[in-house]
Amino acid sequence: MQPHRPLFRFAPSSLLRTFVALPLVLAASLAAAQQDPSSFPLDSVGYLNEELPRMEAAIAARDRSFFHGAMARTVEFSERWGFKAQANPDLAKYPMCTEAVMDYVVVGMCRLNPTSDGCEPGLAPRFEANVQRCREVAARK
């Protein structure tokens, strides 16, 4: 019998807390140049359309290392837009998009280890609803 191999290198709860703290990190990192806020939904959808298939492949392969890069890409995307309302108040009109971008890494991690701290039962459905609403807003632009 093989010994149990931990899912994460770090304690799952501390890693998930890091992902959950992402919005605070994003709010603290003010972007120097902000783009036209009306383009944000479309750019968010483009980002998610690129990331979500990669996330699905990582989940299927049980590739935990994917999420370290995914978090870095999410931070980079957010810095480009000046997340959240403190840095770019015009993005406050698109909470469905900001929340979808921020939650996608946590949702993926929770799909790998659903019993980890921070994996709420309503997280995945709320994420899917935000992605759908963000796509709808982007389609109107």
Side-chain angles (χ1 to χ4, degrees), residues 1 11 23 28 35-36 38 42 50 75 86 98 113-114 129 134 140:
M1 182 169 164
Q35 302 173 40
D36 176 17
S38 66
L42 189 58
E50 185 176 312
V75 169
Q86 289 175 294
T98 57
N113 188 9
C134 186
R140 287 185 239 144

Side-chain angles (χ1 to χ4, degrees), residues 69-104:
M71 180 129 136
R73 289 187 300 276
T74 300
V75 169
E76 183 181 309
F77 179 84
S78 69
E79 286 175 346
R80 207 173 50 218
W81 278 100
F83 266 45
K84 287 274 278 185
Q86 289 175 294
N88 190 343
D90 294 323
L91 297 186
K93 295 186 274 190
Y94 310 111
M96 69 293 290
C97 297
T98 57
E99 291 173 22
V101 169
M102 289 186 303
D103 287 347
Y104 111 87

Side-chain angles (χ1 to χ4, degrees), residues 8-69:
F8 304 105
R9 233 174 231 208
F10 307 102
S13 60
S14 66
L15 187 57
L16 276 175
R17 270 190 234 115
T18 300
F19 287 129
V20 171
L22 182 62
L24 299 175
V25 172
L26 299 176
S29 63
L30 303 176
Q34 295 176 357
Q35 302 173 40
D36 176 17
S38 66
S39 301
F40 179 68
L42 189 58
D43 199 28
S44 296
V45 166
Y47 175 75
L48 291 168
N49 286 347
E50 185 176 312
E51 288 292 321
L52 290 173
R54 295 168 69 186
M55 179 187 78
E56 292 298 330
I59 291 168
R62 308 287 301 160
D63 178 12
R64 297 176 300 278
S65 66
F66 166 81
F67 294 97
H68 294 285

